[in-house]
Amino acid sequence: MPEVFLVNPPDPRSMREFLVPMRIREHETLPPLGLAYIAAVLEKNGIDVDILDAWTLDLPIQKVLERVGEASPKVVGITCDATRVNVTKEIAKGVKELDKQIKVVIGGPFPTCYPQYFRENIDAVALGEGEYTMLELVRKLDHGFDDVMGISLFKNERLYATPRRPPIENLDELPFPARHLLPMDKYFTLLASKAPVTSMFTSRGCPFECAFCSVPYQWGRRYRMHSPRYVVSEIEHLAENYGIKEVDFKDSDFTLNPDRTDKFCHSMIERKVDVRWFCNSRVTGMTKARLEKMKRAGCSLLLFGVESGDPDTLEHIRKHITLKDAEDAFKNARDVGIATFAYFIIGFPGETKKSIQRTIDFARKLKPSYVAFSLATPYPKTELWDWVIERGLLEEDSINWDTFSFYDVNLPVEDLSATELKKIQTRAMKRFYVRGVPNLLTRGWRRPFFRKKVRIAVRGFLHTIGAGRN
Ligand code: B12
Ligand code: SF4
């Protein structure tokens, strides 16, 4: 019987991707690494723990509760982001109905930024980094945990928070995530060029301040990272134990520290590690020499946050990049043979039809292998959120968090209605999608899960253009 039972909640049924009507997990599902790190630290300290990845296994809430009942743990820990607020609350309620004595602790990006939303059935919200907070909570279970650092809880109807826990200075002290508790054969992403693929998270914190992003609040502004040696050892561990052939680095910016990137690439080449990888990266500093080395070290794809093709918008959202930086990065990556993904966001406050068109034109000019146009979404603890709330553009109490993804219209823009904005997004995506099919096919034909995914995508596409059933 595990003492601690960690849950990655299922996908809210309502949330569907904008381009093809399939749920996110149908084109990408990767390990809940936050829970796996917490489990690893608990195990290292002799605490029995299990993880249920209900998102990947597509389990409904009822099944999750059955599994909690069977496990009969002392603590249930749930991870939560913006779109899974309601599912998290329902699971917490169900757990308390099963047994009031079970403590329910939640954590993750959304509760960290908006703990006041979790008033009932939740004993504590872990703020920010969760490994040591959870460990301390479990150790203090029998004596009361109100003084554990880095938590927030409701007491006598008032929200109360202990001081934030200092960030983990030496990330290498963390054991590898407890992937043995996860369904490792179920993970995939359509962006991988090889299978099996899995994800890693090798740095925390972001020194930037993009107006739409809650990452600096969640992780802090200082960039902390695992050493190149730790990263390469983890990749080798994944290859040996799970036969992993490609790694998706989920860091906000894997290449932010040039010295680490360089040493990591050097080590991958020197140790002849035959595992490919891809990562998020800023467009700045992507010289050909650097990219060539990354390519030799196994880099197959770079995902760049360009955000806008309109210089004024880039300045307003404080992205601190220029269009020239983006053009150079995409050209250099193409020249050395690394595929590219361009992320854009449209519909920021103050944007107009013209500025959005500039973004769409710029996306075309960059000739990326893949592209995504998200809709500006104001997450709590971002400048965008403050802006929107101050102007009364969103009523906090009436937000439908289930649909608070990058694909649902949350904000109107200057000269466009919300519906028009959504139409522009879909049209822009469709054009790229049609153009991108050959790309997807060339990258994907060898992958075992690819045929199944192509079927889903074609069905979805037919539906999108109005030719399908459903
Ligand atoms: C990987 C990722 C995904 C993967 C998820 C894979 C998975 N199983 O985790 C995919 C691609 C599916 C995804 C989808 C989406 N994502 Co996402 N994603 C990320 C990303 C890049 C990394 C997350 C990660 O792996 N972190 C690594 C681990 C170690 O950290 P962690 O999970 O946060 O856990 C730590 C703490 O939060 C805490 N903790 C977490 N859970 C718990 C639970 C307990 C009990 C405790 C004590 C502590 C605790 O302790 C952990 C260890 O320190 C983050 C950005 C980022 N840099 O954080 C965005 C991010 C989390 N995603 C975000 C969003 C908005 C989405 C989408 C809604 C986007 C969309 N398409 O519309 C969807 C939602 C899908 C859904 N859940 O239904 C936002 C969340 C914003 C918010 N404030 O809620 C983020 C922060 C990106 C951003 N810049 O805004 N995402
Ligand atoms: S979008 Fe990227 S660079 Fe900007 S604040 Fe978020 S994590 Fe940092």
Side-chain angles (χ1 to χ4, degrees), residues 6 8 11-12 15 17 24 28 30-35 37-38 55 77-84 105-110 112-113 126 128-131 134 201 204 212-215 218-219 250-252 280 379-380 404-407:
L6 301 173
N8 187 27
D11 190 357
M15 201 175 75
E17 285 277 279
I24 289 180
E28 168 162 313
L30 289 163
L33 289 178
L35 296 182
Y37 271 113
I38 292 170
W55 202 73
I78 311 171
T79 191
C80 173
D81 51 48
T83 57
R84 291 185 293 173
V105 180
I106 65 167
F110 187 85
T112 295
C113 299
E129 237 163 8
E131 288 89 348
M134 191 61 165
F201 198 75
R204 299 178 178 190
F212 54 88
C213 179
S214 62
V215 164
Q218 186 195 350
W219 292 108
K250 284 295 184 190
D251 307 40
S252 299
N280 296 317
Y379 291 109
F404 218 67
S405 75
F406 301 138
Y407 311 121

Side-chain angles (χ1 to χ4, degrees), residues 336-441:
V336 308
I338 296 179
T340 52
F341 194 126
Y343 282 115
F344 290 97
I345 304 178
I346 56 172
F348 286 111
E351 280 221 88
T352 57
K353 224 174 181 168
K354 250 193 182 156
S355 69
I356 292 172
Q357 191 54 48
R358 237 173 254 142
T359 293
I360 296 169
D361 293 343
F362 187 64
R364 222 168 288 150
K365 190 172 174 194
L366 289 179
K367 300 195 193 83
S369 324
Y370 309 97
V371 72
F373 297 96
S374 302
L375 295 173
T377 310
Y379 291 109
K381 286 285 186 272
T382 64
E383 205 181 311
L384 186 56
W385 168 265
D386 295 342
W387 201 93
V388 164
I389 296 296
E390 272 163 28
R391 280 161 186 75
L393 291 175
L394 268 186
E395 285 290 333
E396 272 186 77
D397 295 341
S398 54
I399 294 174
N400 176 7
W401 294 108
D402 282 2
T403 59
F404 218 67
S405 75
F406 301 138
Y407 311 121
D408 295 276
V409 179
N410 290 303
L411 296 176
V413 218
E414 289 287 285
D415 55 354
L416 284 171
S417 72
T419 326
E420 281 170 325
L421 182 61
K422 177 77 200 161
K423 265 194 194 145
I424 291 178
Q425 182 203 28
T426 311
R427 208 178 319 125
M429 282 301 300
K430 261 193 218 167
R431 289 181 73 151
F432 270 93
Y433 182 72
V434 172
R435 187 186 137 262
V437 166
N439 241 322
L440 261 174
L441 291 175

